[in-house]
Amino acid sequence: MGVMSGPYLIRGSVSLPEAELNWRFSRSSGPGGQHVNTSDSRVELRFDLARTEALPEVWKERALERLAGRLVDGVLVVRAAEHRSQWRNRETAAVRMAAVLAEATAPPPRPRKKGKVPRGINERRLRNKKHRSDVKRGRSGRDWG
């Protein structure tokens, strides 16, 4: 089939460590057909996040915290079974793993600074309120009699 198109970059110059990836293959579910149920095309990719040395310590702590609900004993698992070929499923799983880790290791967003409301906008808002108030006051039927 060919070699996988790695290395899969997480962010910057950090990529998925090929040596620390653990692959498992099994038969994919779904409708049968010639040859389809005999090949192990479903891919399960495991990455031991808790013990890895490939990620900077700060990223590792951040990822462990953010992915706490997805980890089993510190191991992140990604599965892929969309394609009929094992090779394409391997590609999909590796890309997905890199994406999950990229999101989990991203720095937290900067806190939002509160902006000052321009005076003109405030004055226009108050003018519109006054106008509405006058319109509504004009609707009471006092002056009609």
Side-chain angles (χ1 to χ4, degrees):
M1 262 284 171
V3 186
M4 292 185 65
S5 59
Y8 294 93
L9 285 180
I10 297 174
R11 253 197 2 267
S13 61
V14 180
S15 59
L16 272 179
E18 206 67 46
E20 294 183 26
L21 297 180
N22 202 333
W23 299 92
R24 280 178 55 192
F25 308 101
S26 56
R27 291 189 181 167
S28 218
S29 63
Q34 234 177 353
H35 172 68
V36 79
N37 286 335
T38 58
S39 59
D40 291 344
S41 60
R42 179 174 43 206
V43 172
E44 188 177 277
L45 176 57
R46 295 166 166 270
F47 177 61
D48 195 340
L49 187 57
R51 291 190 194 86
T52 186
E53 297 296 321
L55 298 179
E57 200 56 40
V58 184
W59 287 22
K60 195 162 124 177
E61 285 167 19
R62 208 180 283 155
L64 283 168
E65 192 179 310
R66 289 186 183 164
L67 296 172
R70 274 191 74 163
L71 299 176
V72 180
D73 297 330
V75 178
L76 178 62
V77 180
V78 171
R79 292 180 188 86
E82 295 84 72
H83 306 293
R84 285 177 61 171
S85 93
Q86 185 191 95
W87 189 75
R88 283 179 65 194
N89 280 332
R90 283 179 69 135
E91 286 281 309
T92 305
V95 168
R96 209 177 282 164
M97 175 75 75
V100 167
L101 287 172
E103 195 177 318
T105 58
R110 284 213 180 98
R112 183 178 175 272
K113 284 192 192 135
K114 191 171 180 233
K116 193 167 180 286
V117 180
R119 203 172 78 215
I121 288 180
N122 219 4
E123 286 172 359
R124 184 172 62 201
R125 182 180 64 86
L126 293 173
R127 251 200 326 276
N128 287 343
K129 276 178 72 133
K130 183 97 180 87
H131 178 70
R132 273 315 294 134
S133 155
D134 292 344
V135 165
K136 288 187 173 188
R137 196 175 320 117
R139 287 184 187 151
S140 64
R142 287 189 302 234
D143 310 334
W144 290 1

